Amino acid sequence: MTRMDSEQQNTWAVETKGLSKFFGHIIALHEVNIKVPYHQLVTIIGPNGAGKSTLMRILSTLSRPSRGQVYVDGLDVGKWGAEIRRRIGYATHQPLLYNDLSVRENLRFFGHMYGVPDLETRIQQLLAKVELLDRQHDTVRTLSRGMQQRLAIARAVLHSPTILLLDEPYAGLDQHATELLTHLLHEWLSSGSTILMTTHDLNWAARISDKVLVLLNGRLVHQTEASALSEKHIRELYRQYAGGGL
Amino acid sequence: MNFWRGITAILRKDVLTELRSKETVSTLSVFALLVVVIFNFAFELRVENAHQIAPGVLWVALAFAGVLAFNRSFLLEREGGCMEGLRLMPMERSVIYVGKLLANILFMLLAEAIILPIFAALFDVPILNAALWMVIVLGTIGFAAAGTLFAAMAVNTRAREVMLPILLFPIAVPVLIASTKSTAQILDGQPLFEIYAWIRLLLAFDVIFIVLALLSFEHVLEE
Amino acid sequence: MSKVKTNSWQLLITMTALSITISLYLIFLYVPSERIMGIVQRIFYFHVPSAWVGFLAFFVAFLCGIRYLARREARWDAVENASIEIGVLFSTIVLVSGSIWARPVWNTWWTWDPRLTTTLVMWLYYVASLLLRQMVEDKERKARFSAVLSIAGFINVPVVFLAIRLWRTIHPVLFTTEGAAIEPSMLLTLLSSLLSFTLLYLCLLLIRVGLASLEDELNNLKLLSTLHSPEGVE
């Protein structure tokens, strides 16, 4: 592990330098440079097709960058895939769960894969947090969209990752679940996690996060502290959005 | 450490899913039996030549059934994006290959345990023979080793179910030949050293494909 | 295209044409007919080099496959694909010329000789792998799958050959491994023919790879004409 430690430049939770991603001739990301500090909630906003999900997939090592350097928790994604995957939690609009297994069995499977200590207690705790305790023995197939989303988030944090990557975590959640998730995000933040998430809701992003990044057509066009976002600023950004073909 | 933990977790998960649905082993057995019966009609079997074609019928049935099993094992992972879930696990992705391979071998062996007695009755061949079982296990491993690798690719193509057999059968020609020939020799009661060359060939094939898959699976699973 | 490239291309074409002319002369005018088989034996000078080129082509594809997986440069995929296509073409020639030859000599169109059977199995496999390419949308994934398949296929060739040889313990041995059995004039003709086919393979490979890059460029232009600015994807 010493070699790995020497590689770590632990200033940023997530750092990309000149990150580009091509799908054939299509440019999904173009020269993206971002820096996400530790212990903050950073939101990436942008219209559909801006490249948000592509970026999240690269950070979670599901997808390879075509060009540029990407470091997660100080580790190069090209070299330390397995180690990065241990330190991150990733949730997306697909639940990534087994429909034929029960809620608890799903979490148990992923818990075994991560080697989570004292797994049953951890599962019990998490299920209570995402309010799925009474459905724990039902198969995932029978859960509603919103419940599956909550379970997917529980799966993502099962192994207590230091960095959470959440791709549109609010999609499909009702009012109550939205409040629940916001509460949980703040709880995780105060316990030392770093959260990077995507959304297309600018107002919401400004309200809950520390920092906002704006992605348009695969380019990072704006990077600002959320506190610096004024009403006027937001309106200006919306206009840019519209120009970007929303 | 990590490696084994991942493998056992995947194997356990696949077995649990199978225990719940019982779909893979049952469809495999029924399908393999159907192939055996169809061959009966196709060759208009009489007792005197039944013995001669029995090994061929058995292995063709197993090969066809294997294709079903391998395809199914990856189609299940596609549902709900589960393959992504696996790819997020904190280990080398060759772990996924080994876990899936073991599950496939296990399901095939279970199906074989069901159909072998029936096959023995239909063709009047003795199956209580350790050498025969060894050949069946080695042959199954060979089919599964190549089949699991190719199925992971085939499910990502437009033709899905069709693509696997047309890739797998030419590649698995050595397994088919070796298994059929040695099964025939064992059923004919030939001495064990006669089938030694075949066993070696099966072992070589098994090792080659498992090593190849371990080295290339990361590339196959990438998106 | 650079001048050096054009010059060496012209040189290759000239050499190939020259070599083929010489080979044709050797095959049809110079070399004597084989005593027992007669004139039909001259198909040998097409059959064996085609088999060689088929094998060479699949070997090149195997190397390119490894190279592609290690480097992820699209041109290795282009060379690999071109080589497999040419390999399939020459394997087809092997199978057809083998049949034509077998008919008068062995009185059958087909024999389960290990070499022929291995060629047939390889042919089926590589045709399937070309089919797979058609079935994958994503260009990069297509290249990766294709690379793994060409590696697996080539590694498997000796195993297939061994299996078939063991299976057919009694097979017609046409050429023994000791090359001494062949007459000097026949050997010369065969070598010349081998050279011609190898050069021809190189020409076809270069043309096919060039064609692939033109196709690529065309797709690029088509895409640019439909989109004014490169649009992102989610």
Side-chain angles (χ1 to χ4, degrees):
Chain A
M1 289 280 143
T2 42
R3 239 184 84 211
M4 203 158 64
D5 289 335
S6 66
E7 278 216 11
Q8 285 197 7
Q9 333 155 319
N10 260 337
T11 25
W12 305 103
V14 169
E15 185 181 10
T16 71
K17 292 179 191 162
L19 165 63
S20 296
K21 176 74 183 177
F22 313 115
F23 293 107
H25 300 296
I26 299 165
I27 302 166
L29 291 173
H30 182 79
E31 299 279 326
V32 173
N33 298 304
I34 60 171
K35 285 178 173 137
V36 176
Y38 280 101
H39 316 305
Q40 287 202 356
L41 200 170
V42 177
T43 312
I44 302 172
I45 54 168
N48 291 333
K52 294 175 303 210
S53 290
T54 307
L55 177 60
M56 294 300 258
R57 293 178 64 82
I58 290 173
L59 296 179
S60 64
T61 77
L62 282 175
S63 185
R64 272 189 183 221
S66 306
R67 219 178 275 160
Q69 278 103 51
V70 180
Y71 301 94
V72 177
D73 206 11
L75 301 172
D76 187 335
V77 289
K79 274 186 238 161
W80 298 103
E83 184 54 34
I84 289 173
R85 292 196 285 274
R86 179 187 316 285
R87 301 178 186 190
I88 59 161
Y90 171 83
T92 176
H93 42 85
Q94 268 195 316
L96 316 185
L97 295 164
Y98 291 92
N99 280 333
D100 294 320
L101 298 182
S102 74
V103 169
R104 191 173 261 276
E105 283 161 350
N106 262 290
L107 290 182
R108 207 178 274 148
F109 167 60
F110 289 105
H112 282 309
M113 294 284 272
Y114 283 110
V116 175
D118 203 6
L119 184 59
E120 296 302 318
T121 330
R122 174 80 183 145
I123 291 176
Q124 195 76 14
Q125 258 177 11
L126 268 178
L127 286 178
K129 271 190 188 161
V130 297
E131 300 179 354
L132 281 173
L133 214 43
D134 52 330
R135 299 295 300 268
Q136 60 169 310
H137 296 301
D138 297 345
T139 57
V140 168
R141 198 183 293 285
T142 64
L143 301 186
S144 72
R145 178 78 187 76
M147 288 175 179
Q148 290 192 8
Q149 182 71 6
R150 265 140 65 194
L151 181 56
I153 290 163
R155 195 216 75 235
V157 299
L158 184 61
H159 55 297
S160 319
T162 44
I163 298 166
L164 261 178
L165 304 169
L166 305 175
D167 193 7
E168 300 278 357
Y170 286 96
L173 294 186
D174 60 19
Q175 187 62 36
H176 171 67
T178 303
E179 282 161 24
L180 178 71
L181 178 60
T182 309
H183 171 72
L184 286 173
L185 289 184
H186 283 122
E187 194 183 306
W188 288 323
L189 267 180
S190 55
S191 70
S193 297
T194 306
I195 302 172
L196 179 63
M197 66 174 207
T198 65
T199 177
H200 48 253
D201 187 342
L202 190 57
N203 273 320
W204 182 253
R207 197 132 41 97
I208 65 166
S209 46
D210 297 304
K211 203 174 168 184
V212 175
L213 311 175
V214 183
L215 211 55
L216 262 182
N217 281 340
R219 288 168 172 82
L220 186 69
V221 294
H222 200 72
Q223 189 160 192
T224 181
E225 300 298 315
S227 55
L229 275 176
S230 62
E231 195 66 26
K232 193 175 142 240
H233 215 126
I234 291 179
R235 238 177 284 127
E236 175 59 30
L237 281 174
Y238 266 125
R239 209 165 310 125
Q240 271 190 324
Y241 251 38
L246 184 72
Chain B
M1 250 312 274
N2 264 344
F3 199 77
W4 292 114
R5 202 175 64 212
I7 292 168
T8 48
I10 291 175
L11 185 59
R12 214 165 357 165
K13 186 266 301 171
D14 274 5
V15 169
L16 190 64
T17 313
E18 178 61 20
L19 283 175
R20 189 124 327 145
S21 69
K22 298 181 185 64
E23 278 166 11
T24 304
V25 173
S26 60
T27 36
L28 279 191
S29 327
V30 171
F31 183 75
L33 272 179
L34 259 171
V35 175
V36 171
V37 171
I38 299 257
F39 266 112
N40 258 297
F41 295 136
F43 287 127
E44 288 190 66
L45 286 189
R46 283 161 298 167
V47 187
E48 53 269 31
N49 70 3
H51 226 81
Q52 279 181 340
I53 66 151
V57 171
L58 177 68
W59 281 100
V60 169
L62 293 184
F64 284 178
V67 167
L68 289 190
F70 311 146
N71 259 331
R72 198 182 141 72
S73 107
F74 281 98
L75 284 174
L76 281 177
E77 297 289 346
R78 269 180 74 96
E79 223 184 296
C82 296
M83 192 39 103
E84 306 262 280
L86 287 182
R87 292 176 58 227
L88 281 167
M89 291 304 111
M91 40 199 78
E92 297 308 317
R93 281 160 186 158
S94 47
V95 167
I96 303 174
Y97 172 77
V98 182
K100 282 292 182 191
L101 171 65
L102 290 179
N104 282 335
I105 292 173
L106 178 69
F107 296 154
M108 278 201 64
L109 289 178
L110 284 175
E112 283 157 8
I114 296 172
I115 65 161
L116 262 180
I118 306 175
F119 169 80
L122 283 177
F123 284 85
D124 191 24
V125 289
I127 52 160
L128 291 175
N129 185 323
L132 179 66
W133 294 348
M134 180 170 70
V135 167
I136 287 178
V137 169
L138 287 179
T140 303
I141 293 174
F143 267 121
T148 306
L149 173 64
F150 286 3
M153 290 189 246
V155 292
N156 283 309
T157 64
R158 253 184 293 129
R160 271 180 217 164
E161 291 87 349
V162 197
M163 218 47 235
L164 179 59
I166 69 169
L167 281 171
L168 180 59
F169 289 152
I171 272 284
V173 158
V175 181
L176 197 64
I177 294 177
S179 308
T180 310
K181 276 287 180 179
S182 49
T183 303
Q185 284 170 337
I186 291 165
L187 292 183
D188 288 350
Q190 288 184 19
L192 270 186
F193 66 84
E194 294 270 324
I195 64 160
Y196 180 60
W198 293 120
I199 299 289
R200 252 192 343 197
L201 195 78
L202 280 175
L203 275 174
F205 186 92
D206 294 0
V207 170
I208 287 173
F209 270 87
I210 289 173
V211 170
L212 177 74
L214 289 178
L215 292 176
S216 64
F217 212 59
E218 180 93 34
H219 300 287
V220 169
L221 281 195
E222 218 177 87
E223 54 129 49
Chain C
M1 210 190 261
S2 73
K3 191 146 189 204
V4 183
K5 230 171 159 182
T6 326
N7 280 345
S8 49
W9 170 242
Q10 276 170 351
L11 184 69
L12 177 64
I13 288 280
T14 319
M15 297 250 302
T16 311
L18 202 67
S19 170
I20 289 177
T21 317
I22 295 171
S23 297
L24 285 175
Y25 169 78
L26 291 175
I27 294 167
F28 289 109
L29 298 173
Y30 164 75
V31 78
S33 279
E34 209 262 348
R35 235 170 300 136
I36 303 154
M37 287 187 267
I39 193 144
V40 74
Q41 185 267 342
R42 285 174 206 257
I43 208 168
F44 166 81
Y45 305 111
F46 295 92
H47 180 78
V48 173
S50 300
W52 152 250
V53 168
F55 193 78
L56 175 71
F58 295 141
F59 179 61
V60 169
F62 163 74
L63 293 180
C64 291
I66 294 175
R67 189 94 179 158
Y68 177 80
L69 290 184
R71 295 288 178 84
R72 299 300 175 93
E73 291 159 350
R75 61 196 162 124
W76 296 112
D77 176 55
V79 180
E80 179 211 295
N81 183 42
S83 202
I84 290 181
E85 284 178 7
I86 299 168
V88 167
L89 172 71
F90 280 91
S91 304
T92 313
I93 296 176
V94 176
L95 294 171
V96 172
S97 60
S99 279
I100 295 172
W101 192 5
R103 182 67 193 150
V105 176
W106 297 329
N107 204 25
T108 170
W109 289 111
W110 181 258
T111 153
W112 293 98
D113 157 84
R115 263 172 280 244
L116 268 187
T117 313
T118 306
T119 309
L120 177 65
V121 170
M122 268 166 79
W123 184 87
L124 282 167
Y125 176 77
Y126 284 105
V127 167
S129 83
L130 288 178
L131 276 175
L132 183 117
R133 282 185 79 90
Q134 304 291 310
M135 305 278 184
V136 184
E137 307 289 346
D138 183 68
K139 232 183 139 221
E140 212 225 322
R141 172 176 279 163
K142 182 186 294 199
R144 275 187 285 115
F145 284 6
S146 192
V148 173
L149 289 179
S150 60
I151 296 169
F154 192 78
I155 287 180
N156 203 33
V157 169
V159 189
V160 174
F161 184 77
L162 269 178
I164 294 169
R165 204 169 63 176
L166 269 171
W167 171 54
R168 294 268 127 174
T169 30
I170 318 153
H171 64 280
V173 180
L174 202 55
F175 318 107
T176 46
T177 33
E178 305 96 60
I182 195 163
E183 211 182 294
S185 65
M186 287 182 172
L187 184 64
L188 176 72
T189 311
L190 179 62
L191 288 178
S192 159
S193 200
L194 280 172
L195 178 69
S196 303
F197 270 75
T198 310
L199 288 172
L200 183 62
Y201 163 73
L202 280 179
C203 290
L204 289 174
L205 189 71
L206 288 175
I207 291 171
R208 183 64 187 90
V209 171
L211 192 64
S213 84
L214 282 179
E215 269 171 20
D216 217 42
E217 223 168 288
L218 184 68
N219 282 334
N220 214 349
L221 288 175
K222 270 187 194 158
L223 197 87
L224 281 177
S225 66
T226 49
L227 308 165
H228 288 294
S229 63
E231 197 121 320
V233 261
E234 190 78 5

